[in-house]
Amino acid sequence: VRQALWRWGHNRLLWSEKSDRKFLITGYQKPCYLPSLLLTNCRSIINKSDDLLLNVNITNPSIIAITETWLTDKITDNFVYIPNYIVFRCDRLNRKGGGVAMFITNSKQSHILKFPFTCNTELEHIWSIYDNSVAICVVYIPPGLSVNINSDIINYLSMCIDHINCNYNYKIIICWNRCNRRILDWNQ
């Protein structure tokens, strides 16, 4: 099983032994609970659904964040159903590949987080709220975007984080996997 997890996850697999573990976060007075997370780049979730279900059954994560789902609007949620989870998707629209999805255990309240502004790049991402306490974002940067787009991506994510900090009392998790960018200047 360990070899299957390693082969499938390519060292991108994260989980905790218990569904929700207690973590101390710097800057917070009280301990806060963060959800357990499985993050992976599937390169087509449809043909890896058995491997994904095996990993979910072994790790029992609260949240499953997936990049490169390769889903389209023609593929319904029934094809990617995982028992006891709800799915949020952002499929690539104009070409094959890409896309992100987030599966959240249905034992916690969750919903999509919308912003009053949009990203003007081809950044593939989805934000959701977990248990009314944590904002989670799954981000995928497709290959072939202009190098000048780096600052737009950083600015957009910064705006999202600022919006959350100003309007909500959520902790923030950003899942960034296989970003297809050699250099991101975080100082911009």
Side-chain angles (χ1 to χ4, degrees), residues 17-56:
E17 292 178 14
K18 295 183 180 176
S19 183
D20 289 313
R21 303 224 21 204
K22 186 175 182 179
F23 292 92
L24 279 172
I25 298 180
T26 307
Y28 288 93
Q29 299 274 332
K30 299 186 226 174
C32 63
Y33 294 89
L34 293 180
S36 56
L37 173 71
L38 183 140
L39 168 64
T40 191
N41 182 307
C42 271
R43 298 202 64 213
S44 181
I45 192 173
I46 295 295
N47 64 10
K48 295 177 183 74
S49 59
D50 290 340
D51 289 336
L52 180 60
L53 285 173
L54 172 69
N55 281 295
V56 169

Side-chain angles (χ1 to χ4, degrees), residues 43-106:
R43 298 202 64 213
S44 181
I45 192 173
I46 295 295
N47 64 10
K48 295 177 183 74
S49 59
D50 290 340
D51 289 336
L52 180 60
L53 285 173
L54 172 69
N55 281 295
V56 169
N57 287 330
I58 291 170
T59 61
N60 193 29
S62 302
I63 299 167
I64 305 162
I66 300 175
T67 57
E68 286 198 80
T69 60
W70 293 20
L71 297 174
T72 67
D73 59 355
K74 294 179 175 96
I75 301 171
T76 66
D77 290 348
N78 294 337
F79 285 100
V80 294
Y81 174 75
I82 298 175
N84 303 316
Y85 288 85
I86 57 170
V87 63
F88 301 118
R89 297 168 35 177
C90 178
D91 303 336
R92 182 178 286 174
L93 299 177
N94 301 324
R95 58 185 179 165
K96 182 182 175 186
V100 296
M102 189 179 317
F103 294 82
I104 299 179
T105 180
N106 61 11

